[in-house]
Amino acid sequence: MPLHVPPAPAPALRSVLTALGSPTAVREARTPSLRTAQGPATPELPLPVHVLDEITAAGASATRLTGWRFLIRCQERAVAAAETRLTPDGWAFSHFFEGPYIASTERALRQAETMQQPYQPRLLSVPGLYMLTLWLHGDLTADGATGHPAATDLLVPLAPAPPGIAAHRPHRVAELLPVLTHRATPAPLLGQPA
C-alpha cells in the first residue's frame, strides 16, 4: 500500500529550496556528500518530526512537532537531509546533515510501502533513549503536525537503535511503549527506596 505522506508547509519547502540554491549554505554544511554531489539536489519525502519527551507507565505523553525533515536526493539516492524549524516568523531552514539515519529512513519507508495497511509516515524522536523511529500513523486524514501515537500505530526503530531494540522491526505502539517506559525510567539511587 502506498504511504500517505502529509504535505509539508509551503514555507518550510521554500526555505529548503532556498538553502539548496545558496552556494554558501551548501558549502558551509557539514555534509561532504551534499557538497560533492553531482547533478541537481531535490528535497523529497517531507516528514514531520515529533518529539516524545516523556513516557510514563500510563503511556506516551503528547508529542510536540519540532520541524519537518526532507530527504535530499541527488540522482538515484538520498545523500543528506534538510531540517526546518518553526520560528516566530514562520518556518525556516535549520540545517543540512547526513549520517546513518538517512539510509535507515529510506529503508524503513521502503519497508512500510510493502505493508498491507496504508499509513501516514512521521518521525518520532525519543531523546531520553537517543532513539529515532519511523512512526506509521493509522489515521490517513490526520494533520501530520499534531497528535500522539495511537496504540495501533506502528513504530519502526531506525538504525542505530538503542541496545536491545532491533532496528527496522515494526512494533505496535502498545507493545513497544512498555519496553521504552522501563528503559526511560531512571534507576533509584543507592540508598534510596525503590
Side-chain angles (χ1 to χ4, degrees):
M1 279 282 174
L3 294 175
H4 294 265
V5 179
L13 176 58
R14 279 194 304 273
S15 73
V16 171
L17 290 169
T18 300
L20 282 171
S22 166
T24 304
V26 172
R27 190 174 50 252
E28 305 259 333
R30 294 187 175 129
T31 52
S33 60
L34 185 58
R35 287 195 307 267
T36 60
Q38 301 295 317
T42 56
E44 296 182 355
L45 292 168
L47 296 173
V49 180
H50 294 262
V51 172
L52 181 61
D53 288 316
E54 186 178 354
I55 306 168
T56 66
S61 66
T63 63
R64 60 183 169 85
L65 180 71
T66 59
W68 284 80
R69 182 172 296 173
F70 297 78
L71 293 180
I72 306 299
R73 187 169 300 282
C74 289
Q75 296 175 353
E76 297 298 316
R77 66 184 191 96
V79 297
E83 190 111 356
T84 62
R85 62 185 171 86
L86 189 57
T87 69
D89 295 326
W91 288 99
F93 171 75
S94 176
H95 61 282
F96 292 115
F97 64 95
E98 60 184 64
Y101 285 132
I102 307 300
S104 188
T105 301
E106 276 195 309
R107 178 180 169 187
L109 287 166
R110 281 193 309 272
Q111 181 181 357
E113 284 279 347
T114 66
M115 295 180 177
Q116 295 298 316
Q117 180 178 340
Y119 289 101
Q120 183 188 84
R122 304 167 176 202
L123 293 172
L124 181 65
S125 173
V126 186
L129 298 174
Y130 302 101
M131 181 178 181
L132 183 65
T133 69
L134 178 65
W135 168 14
L136 299 172
H137 192 51
D139 183 357
L140 305 180
T141 62
D143 178 357
T146 61
H148 65 279
T152 56
D153 287 353
L154 294 179
L155 296 177
V156 182
L158 300 181
I165 296 177
H168 297 288
R169 183 172 169 257
H171 301 270
R172 293 242 177 256
V173 168
E175 297 164 358
L176 187 58
L177 272 185
V179 174
L180 299 182
T181 302
H182 177 69
R183 288 177 164 242
T185 304
L189 297 174
L190 291 176
Q192 298 291 319

